[in-house]
Amino acid sequence: MGEIVNLRHARKRRRKAAERQRADANAARHGRSAAQIAAEEKTAEQHARRVSAHRLEGSQDASDGAQERTQGPAEPPEERAE
């Protein structure tokens, strides 16, 4: 006679195997090695230095101007006495 199998445990094992396979596929597709991460960080840092080296003095970054516009007035408006 065959071995008695708990169907609940068999479903759990099958589900975990499928999840593990999907996780391995995602890691292969999206995963990066430590060397790749370090190389990308180095490239980003070099790009940032190159951009800042070519920036004109006195010019503002576009994001700085956007923040100034959205912050509102620095001081409360003065009240008039009538």
Side-chain angles (χ1 to χ4, degrees):
M1 201 174 235
E3 185 179 333
I4 297 176
V5 177
N6 186 335
L7 295 177
R8 181 179 41 148
H9 291 298
R11 281 192 300 265
K12 284 184 179 182
R13 277 195 302 270
R14 197 174 339 132
R15 182 178 48 93
K16 286 182 181 181
E19 288 175 357
R20 202 170 320 132
Q21 186 178 19
R22 186 176 50 219
D24 290 343
N26 283 339
R29 188 177 320 129
H30 300 291
R32 299 180 296 170
S33 68
Q36 289 172 326
I37 292 171
E40 288 177 6
E41 288 175 357
K42 182 180 176 184
T43 304
E45 182 180 320
Q46 288 174 344
H47 176 70
R49 274 192 272 127
R50 186 174 299 127
V51 168
S52 66
H54 287 92
R55 184 162 294 163
L56 297 175
E57 290 185 29
S59 66
Q60 289 184 341
D61 191 29
S63 63
D64 292 340
Q67 289 175 352
E68 289 175 5
R69 285 190 295 267
T70 59
Q71 287 179 352
E75 297 177 12
E78 295 180 20
E79 295 182 21
R80 295 187 201 177
E82 291 186 34

